[in-house]
Structures are given as structure tokens and as C-alpha cells.
Coordinates of all heavy atoms in Angstrom, one line a residue:
D1 N 59.7 156.0 -129.8 CA 59.1 155.1 -130.9 C 58.1 155.9 -131.8 O 57.9 155.5 -132.9 CB 58.4 153.9 -130.3 CG 59.5 152.9 -129.8 OD1 60.6 153.0 -130.1 OD2 59.1 152.0 -129.0
H2 N 57.4 156.9 -131.2 CA 56.4 157.5 -132.0 C 56.6 159.0 -132.1 O 55.8 159.7 -132.8 CB 55.0 157.3 -131.3 CG 54.6 155.9 -131.2 ND1 54.2 155.2 -132.2 CD2 54.7 155.0 -130.1 CE1 53.9 153.9 -131.9 NE2 54.3 153.8 -130.6
L3 N 57.7 159.6 -131.6 CA 57.9 161.1 -131.6 C 59.2 161.4 -132.2 O 60.2 160.7 -131.9 CB 57.8 161.6 -130.2 CG 57.6 163.2 -130.1 CD1 56.3 163.6 -130.7 CD2 57.7 163.6 -128.6
A4 N 59.2 162.4 -133.2 CA 60.5 162.7 -133.8 C 60.6 164.2 -134.0 O 59.6 165.0 -134.0 CB 60.5 162.1 -135.3
L5 N 61.8 164.7 -133.9 CA 62.1 166.1 -134.3 C 62.2 166.1 -135.9 O 62.7 165.2 -136.5 CB 63.5 166.5 -133.7 CG 63.5 166.7 -132.2 CD1 64.9 167.1 -131.8 CD2 62.5 167.7 -131.8
R6 N 61.6 167.2 -136.5 CA 61.6 167.3 -137.9 C 62.1 168.6 -138.3 O 61.6 169.7 -138.0 CB 60.1 167.1 -138.4 CG 59.9 167.2 -139.9 CD 58.5 167.3 -140.3 NE 58.3 167.4 -141.7 CZ 57.9 166.5 -142.5 NH1 57.6 165.3 -142.1 NH2 57.7 166.7 -143.8
L7 N 63.2 168.6 -139.1 CA 63.8 169.8 -139.7 C 63.6 169.8 -141.2 O 64.0 168.7 -141.8 CB 65.3 169.9 -139.4 CG 66.1 171.0 -140.0 CD1 65.6 172.4 -139.5 CD2 67.6 170.8 -139.7
E8 N 63.1 170.8 -141.7 CA 62.8 170.8 -143.2 C 63.0 172.2 -143.8 O 62.8 173.2 -143.2 CB 61.3 170.5 -143.4 CG 60.9 170.5 -144.8 CD 59.4 170.1 -145.0 OE1 58.8 169.6 -144.1 OE2 58.9 170.2 -146.1
G9 N 63.6 172.2 -145.0 CA 63.8 173.4 -145.8 C 63.2 173.2 -147.2 O 63.4 172.1 -147.8
R10 N 62.5 174.1 -147.7 CA 62.0 174.0 -149.0 C 62.0 175.4 -149.7 O 62.0 176.4 -149.1 CB 60.6 173.4 -149.0 CG 59.5 174.2 -148.4 CD 58.1 173.5 -148.5 NE 57.0 174.3 -148.1 CZ 56.6 174.3 -146.8 NH1 57.1 173.6 -145.9 NH2 55.6 175.1 -146.5
I11 N 61.9 175.4 -151.1 CA 61.8 176.6 -151.8 C 60.7 176.5 -152.8 O 60.5 175.4 -153.5 CB 63.1 176.9 -152.6 CG1 63.0 178.2 -153.3 CG2 63.6 175.8 -153.5 CD1 64.3 178.7 -153.9
A12 N 59.8 177.5 -152.8 CA 58.6 177.5 -153.7 C 58.8 178.5 -154.8 O 59.4 179.6 -154.6 CB 57.4 177.8 -152.9
R13 N 58.1 178.3 -155.9 CA 58.0 179.2 -157.0 C 56.5 179.4 -157.3 O 55.8 178.4 -157.6 CB 58.7 178.6 -158.2 CG 58.6 179.5 -159.5 CD 59.3 180.8 -159.4 NE 59.6 181.4 -160.7 CZ 60.0 182.6 -160.9 NH1 60.2 183.4 -159.8 NH2 60.2 183.1 -162.1
E14 N 56.0 180.6 -157.1 CA 54.6 180.9 -157.3 C 54.3 182.0 -158.4 O 55.1 182.9 -158.5 CB 53.9 181.3 -156.0 CG 54.0 180.3 -154.9 CD 53.3 180.7 -153.6 OE1 53.1 181.9 -153.4 OE2 52.9 179.8 -152.8
F15 N 53.3 181.8 -159.1 CA 52.9 182.7 -160.2 C 51.5 183.3 -159.8 O 50.5 182.6 -159.7 CB 52.8 182.0 -161.5 CG 54.2 181.4 -162.0 CD1 54.5 180.1 -161.5 CD2 55.1 182.1 -162.7 CE1 55.8 179.6 -161.9 CE2 56.3 181.6 -163.1 CZ 56.6 180.3 -162.7
Y16 N 51.5 184.6 -159.7 CA 50.3 185.3 -159.1 C 49.5 185.9 -160.2 O 49.9 186.2 -161.4 CB 50.8 186.5 -158.2 CG 51.3 185.9 -156.9 CD1 52.6 185.4 -156.8 CD2 50.5 185.9 -155.8 CE1 53.0 184.9 -155.6 CE2 50.9 185.5 -154.6 CZ 52.2 185.0 -154.5 OH 52.7 184.5 -153.3
Q17 N 48.2 186.0 -159.9 CA 47.2 186.6 -160.8 C 47.4 188.1 -160.9 O 47.0 188.7 -161.9 CB 45.8 186.3 -160.4 CG 45.4 186.9 -159.0 CD 44.0 186.6 -158.6 OE1 43.3 185.9 -159.4 NE2 43.5 187.0 -157.5
D18 N 47.9 188.7 -159.8 CA 48.1 190.2 -159.8 C 49.3 190.5 -160.8 O 50.4 190.1 -160.6 CB 48.5 190.6 -158.4 CG 48.4 192.1 -158.2 OD1 48.7 192.8 -159.2 OD2 48.1 192.6 -157.1
P19 N 49.0 191.4 -161.8 CA 50.1 191.7 -162.8 C 51.3 192.4 -162.1 O 52.4 192.4 -162.7 CB 49.3 192.6 -163.8 CG 48.2 193.1 -163.1 CD 47.7 192.0 -162.1
D20 N 51.0 193.0 -160.9 CA 52.1 193.7 -160.3 C 53.0 192.8 -159.5 O 54.1 193.1 -159.1 CB 51.6 194.8 -159.3 CG 50.9 195.9 -160.0 OD1 51.4 196.2 -161.2 OD2 49.9 196.4 -159.5
V21 N 52.6 191.5 -159.3 CA 53.3 190.5 -158.5 C 54.1 189.6 -159.5 O 55.3 189.3 -159.3 CB 52.4 189.7 -157.6 CG1 53.3 188.7 -156.8 CG2 51.7 190.7 -156.6
K22 N 53.4 189.0 -160.4 CA 53.9 188.1 -161.4 C 54.4 186.8 -160.8 O 53.6 185.9 -160.7 CB 55.0 188.8 -162.2 CG 54.4 190.0 -163.1 CD 55.5 190.6 -163.9 CE 55.0 191.7 -164.7 NZ 56.1 192.4 -165.6
A23 N 55.6 186.7 -160.3 CA 56.2 185.5 -159.8 C 57.1 185.8 -158.6 O 57.6 186.9 -158.5 CB 56.9 184.7 -160.9
A24 N 57.3 184.8 -157.7 CA 58.1 185.0 -156.5 C 58.7 183.7 -156.1 O 58.1 182.6 -156.3 CB 57.2 185.6 -155.4
Y25 N 59.9 183.7 -155.6 CA 60.5 182.6 -154.9 C 60.3 182.8 -153.4 O 60.5 183.9 -152.8 CB 62.1 182.6 -155.2 CG 62.4 182.2 -156.6 CD1 62.7 183.1 -157.5 CD2 62.5 180.8 -156.9 CE1 63.0 182.7 -158.8 CE2 62.8 180.4 -158.1 CZ 63.1 181.3 -159.1 OH 63.4 181.0 -160.4
L26 N 59.9 181.7 -152.7 CA 59.7 181.7 -151.3 C 60.3 180.6 -150.5 O 59.8 179.5 -150.4 CB 58.1 181.7 -151.0 CG 57.3 182.8 -151.6 CD1 55.8 182.5 -151.5 CD2 57.7 184.1 -150.9
P27 N 61.6 180.8 -150.1 CA 62.2 179.8 -149.2 C 61.6 179.7 -147.8 O 61.3 180.8 -147.3 CB 63.7 180.2 -149.2 CG 63.8 181.3 -150.3 CD 62.5 181.9 -150.4
V28 N 61.5 178.5 -147.3 CA 61.0 178.3 -145.9 C 61.8 177.3 -145.2 O 62.2 176.3 -145.7 CB 59.5 177.8 -146.0 CG1 59.0 177.6 -144.6 CG2 58.6 178.8 -146.8
V29 N 62.1 177.6 -143.9 CA 62.9 176.7 -143.1 C 62.1 176.5 -141.8 O 61.7 177.5 -141.1 CB 64.3 177.2 -142.7 CG1 65.0 176.2 -141.8 CG2 65.1 177.3 -144.0
T30 N 61.8 175.3 -141.4 CA 61.0 175.0 -140.2 C 61.6 173.9 -139.3 O 62.2 173.0 -139.9 CB 59.5 174.7 -140.5 OG1 59.5 173.5 -141.3 CG2 58.8 175.8 -141.2
L31 N 61.4 174.0 -138.0 CA 61.8 173.0 -137.1 C 60.6 172.7 -136.2 O 59.9 173.6 -135.7 CB 62.9 173.5 -136.2 CG 63.4 172.5 -135.1 CD1 63.9 171.2 -135.7 CD2 64.4 173.1 -134.2
G32 N 60.2 171.4 -136.1 CA 59.1 171.0 -135.3 C 59.1 169.6 -134.9 O 60.2 169.0 -134.8
I33 N 58.0 169.0 -134.5 CA 57.9 167.6 -134.1 C 56.9 166.9 -134.9 O 55.9 167.5 -135.5 CB 57.5 167.6 -132.6 CG1 56.1 168.3 -132.3 CG2 58.5 168.2 -131.7 CD1 55.6 168.1 -130.9
S34 N 57.1 165.6 -135.0 CA 56.1 164.7 -135.7 C 55.7 163.6 -134.8 O 56.6 163.0 -134.1 CB 56.8 164.1 -137.0 OG 56.9 165.0 -138.0
Y35 N 54.4 163.3 -134.8 CA 53.9 162.1 -134.0 C 53.4 161.1 -135.0 O 52.6 161.4 -135.9 CB 52.8 162.6 -133.1 CG 52.2 161.4 -132.3 CD1 52.8 160.9 -131.2 CD2 51.0 160.8 -132.8 CE1 52.3 159.8 -130.6 CE2 50.5 159.7 -132.1 CZ 51.1 159.2 -131.0 OH 50.6 158.1 -130.3
F36 N 53.9 159.8 -134.8 CA 53.5 158.7 -135.7 C 52.5 157.8 -134.9 O 52.8 157.5 -133.7 CB 54.8 157.9 -136.1 CG 55.7 158.6 -137.0 CD1 56.7 159.4 -136.4 CD2 55.6 158.4 -138.3 CE1 57.6 160.0 -137.2 CE2 56.5 159.1 -139.2 CZ 57.5 159.9 -138.6
T37 N 51.5 157.5 -135.6 CA 50.6 156.4 -135.0 C 51.2 155.1 -135.2 O 52.3 154.9 -135.8 CB 49.2 156.5 -135.7 OG1 49.4 156.1 -137.1 CG2 48.5 157.8 -135.6
H38 N 50.6 154.0 -134.7 CA 51.1 152.7 -134.9 C 51.1 152.4 -136.4 O 50.2 152.8 -137.1 CB 50.2 151.7 -134.1 CG 50.4 151.7 -132.7 ND1 51.5 151.3 -132.0 CD2 49.6 152.3 -131.7 CE1 51.3 151.5 -130.7 NE2 50.2 152.1 -130.5
G39 N 52.1 151.6 -136.8 CA 52.3 151.2 -138.2 C 51.4 150.0 -138.5 O 50.4 149.7 -137.9
R40 N 51.9 149.3 -139.5 CA 51.1 148.1 -140.0 C 50.9 147.0 -139.0 O 51.8 146.8 -138.1 CB 51.7 147.6 -141.3 CG 53.1 147.1 -141.2 CD 53.8 146.8 -142.5 NE 55.2 146.6 -142.4 CZ 56.0 146.4 -143.4 NH1 55.5 146.4 -144.6 NH2 57.3 146.2 -143.3
R41 N 49.9 146.3 -139.1 CA 49.6 145.2 -138.2 C 49.5 143.9 -139.0 O 49.2 143.9 -140.2 CB 48.2 145.4 -137.5 CG 48.3 146.5 -136.5 CD 49.0 146.1 -135.3 NE 48.8 147.1 -134.2 CZ 49.5 148.2 -134.1 NH1 50.4 148.5 -134.9 NH2 49.2 149.0 -133.0
T42 N 49.7 142.8 -138.4 CA 49.5 141.5 -139.0 C 48.0 141.2 -139.1 O 47.3 141.4 -138.2 CB 50.1 140.4 -138.1 OG1 51.5 140.6 -138.0 CG2 49.9 139.0 -138.8
P43 N 47.5 140.9 -140.3 CA 46.1 140.6 -140.5 C 45.5 139.7 -139.4 O 46.2 138.7 -139.1 CB 46.0 140.1 -141.9 CG 47.2 140.5 -142.6 CD 48.3 140.6 -141.6

């Protein structure tokens, strides 16, 4: 009820202050766990 496996992939685009770097694409793939606290309650 409160624990999940989490698979995520994302791609980033970054622009650097260093003139030798300029810009870069950075793909990331991660696998982990998520813990959820209790959700909404009746007032």
C-alpha cells in the first residue's frame, strides 16, 4: 500500500558558463523505490 518500485528515464539539456563546454545532452536511467505516506483524510 505504501511502497513502490520506480523506473524512470529522462534526458536533460544544459548550457554551461564554460565556453569550452557550451551545451550538453545528459540521458539518465534509474531504478529505485518510493515510499508514500498516508494520503488525504476526512476532515
Side-chain angles (χ1 to χ4, degrees):
D1 286 344
H2 299 283
L3 194 65
L5 293 177
R6 179 187 178 108
L7 175 64
E8 180 178 347
R10 66 177 186 270
I11 181 170
R13 177 68 163 167
E14 295 184 342
F15 298 88
Y16 287 78
Q17 64 176 0
D18 192 328
D20 293 325
V21 180
K22 296 183 180 178
Y25 286 98
L26 297 172
V28 180
V29 178
T30 58
L31 175 64
I33 58 174
S34 287
Y35 177 79
F36 293 86
T37 63
H38 290 284
R40 58 187 169 188
R41 293 285 194 275
T42 302

